[in-house]
Each structure stands twice: as C-alpha cells, then as structure tokens.
Amino acid sequence: MSEPLDVLAIAAHRDDVELTCGGTLAKVARAGHRVGIVDLTQGEMGTRGSAERRAAEAERAARTLGVALRTNMGFPDAHLANDDASRAAIVNVLRELRPRVVILPFPIGRHPDHRIASEVARDACYLAGLAKYAPVAGAEPHRPFKILYALAYREDPVKPSFVVDISDTFETKMAAIRCYASQFDGALAAGEIFPTGQDLYELIRVQSAHYGSLIRRPYGEPFFTHETVAVDDILALGVQSL
Ligand SMILES: [Zn+2]
C-alpha cells in the first residue's frame, strides 16, 4: 500500500479541478503534503480536442500543480450515474488512496456530470467506511475525515464557508489551466463559467480576484462545508470587518 493522501480532489472531467481548486491543490502540495486527483471521465464528449489529447494535457497539468498522482475512472462522459457500480468503484479507489480531506464539486451544477460527480463521490466517501460494503481482499475500510465543496463560479446564494488565499499559487493555477490548450485556447466559457465576451483566461483571473477580495487578498478560491468551521483563537481571525 502506498502512503495515504492528505488531500484528494475528485471531479467529473479533466480540467475541472484546475478551474475550481487548482490554486489550493498547488498550495497544499507546495507545503509538502501528498495531493491526488481522480477524474471520473475521460472527457470524450468534449466538443474540442480528443480524449487522448486531454489525457496528455491532464498529465502535464498535474505535474504543473505538483500533485503526487492523478488517475482516471473511465466512467462515461455526460452519462455519469450515482449507481452501485460507480459507488463501489470509487470506494475501491478511496480505500487505496486513503485521503484525509476530499474536495468535491459543489452539488449544484450547470453540467449534470458536475452535480452527479458531487453526489456519487460523497456517497462513496461514506460507504468506503463500511467494512462490509464492496469488500476487496487487502483493502481496509476508510472514510475521509473532511469533505469540502469547491464553490468557484457558482451563482447560487451560498456564501463560502471560507476562502483559501491562492495569491502565491495563482500563476501555477493558470499555468495548469493553460496546459489544456485544446479546450481553452480562444474559448469564452468553460464548465460552470458563463461567457462575458472576455477571454476565458481573463475571466478566470477576474473571478479569482473577486474571491480573493472577500478575504482582502489578490486571489482566492472559495469552499463550502456543511459543518461549522471551528476557531481556536478569535484574535488570530483575519479579514477586516470595517
Ligand atoms: Zn467539467
């Protein structure tokens, strides 16, 4: 068995995690933690490029972010389902990688795959802790301690539970996104990002700057947790009120 992961990001398509939490993954990896990415589909339904080209781009993006591993579940793109076979397959991967923190897409999404990826992965995180669910010889049950939902680009009236300051890794995030030239060069929209007429790369910068402004920093990535965030020392709380 390999060393457990500190953080695992799971998403529907190659390039999803770069768009929503790439700066955070790069920041955690840079701090010396073990980070992984699981893409559920190969992106074969994408209008631009091919699944093979996206595979090569995803590999380069993972190296750019500094993550330890990236795997692909090979589920059918645009046909993701929260069914028993999909849950069991993700459970297997969770028991192998044993992440402490899992980052998922927000459970509301423009693309149905994003919404279903969030649900199927969340359910698998719970089921992976049940010893009698889909047992495989040599694999111990494992339930991740924490689930975070990446909230970037969502317009629902949900306030981020917190924003990660990605000012130091924003350029790394953009370099990882630029690895997907087949998807994004000349694009005006992507995933959950609606077009404004601006270049997609500029649009991501503007959005990241907005999230950064919420914590009075140049760039940020927003997250949501159902649980309340605990604070030890109220004197150490950042973000000026007045
Ligand atoms: Zn996507």
Side-chain angles (χ1 to χ4, degrees), residues 44-69:
E44 67 274 18
M45 285 289 168
T47 310
R48 294 152 156 260
S50 62
E52 294 70 32
R53 172 133 189 226
R54 286 185 89 171
E57 291 173 336
E59 212 33 64
R60 252 188 305 144
R63 279 200 302 276
T64 302
L65 293 175
V67 306
L69 70 95

Side-chain angles (χ1 to χ4, degrees), residues 97-217:
L97 302 180
R98 289 168 293 148
R100 175 176 171 82
V101 175
V102 171
I103 299 176
L104 300 180
F106 193 64
I108 303 172
R110 186 179 173 212
H111 193 312
D113 275 357
H114 294 171
R115 190 177 72 236
I116 295 161
S118 182
E119 290 170 3
V120 68
R122 192 218 72 96
D123 291 353
C125 284
Y126 183 84
L127 296 170
L130 297 180
K132 291 181 180 171
Y133 180 87
V136 174
E140 294 292 316
H142 174 84
R143 186 170 292 151
F145 176 75
K146 197 75 188 166
I147 292 180
L148 307 178
Y149 295 96
L151 196 59
Y153 319 116
R154 294 300 318 152
E155 295 175 358
D156 321 282
V158 174
K159 218 172 154 59
S161 303
F162 60 90
V163 172
V164 174
D165 176 4
I166 61 159
S167 304
D168 291 341
T169 52
F170 176 71
E171 294 307 333
T172 304
K173 172 189 173 85
M174 290 310 296
I177 290 170
R178 286 177 189 279
C179 289
Y180 295 92
S182 77
Q183 300 304 302
F184 298 147
D185 276 8
L188 300 178
E192 299 295 317
I193 309 174
F194 286 93
T196 61
Q198 289 162 293
D199 174 73
L200 177 70
Y201 300 122
E202 174 63 7
L203 203 42
I204 296 165
R205 194 194 66 75
V206 167
Q207 299 256 16
S208 303
H210 165 67
Y211 295 122
S213 76
L214 300 179
I215 54 167
R216 325 296 183 233
R217 296 289 297 148

Side-chain angles (χ1 to χ4, degrees), residues 13 26 41 56 63 75 78 92 95 106-107 117 141 145 155-156 181 228:
H13 313 112
T41 74
R63 279 200 302 276
F75 293 161
N92 261 332
R95 287 175 180 164
F106 193 64
F145 176 75
E155 295 175 358
D156 321 282
T228 302

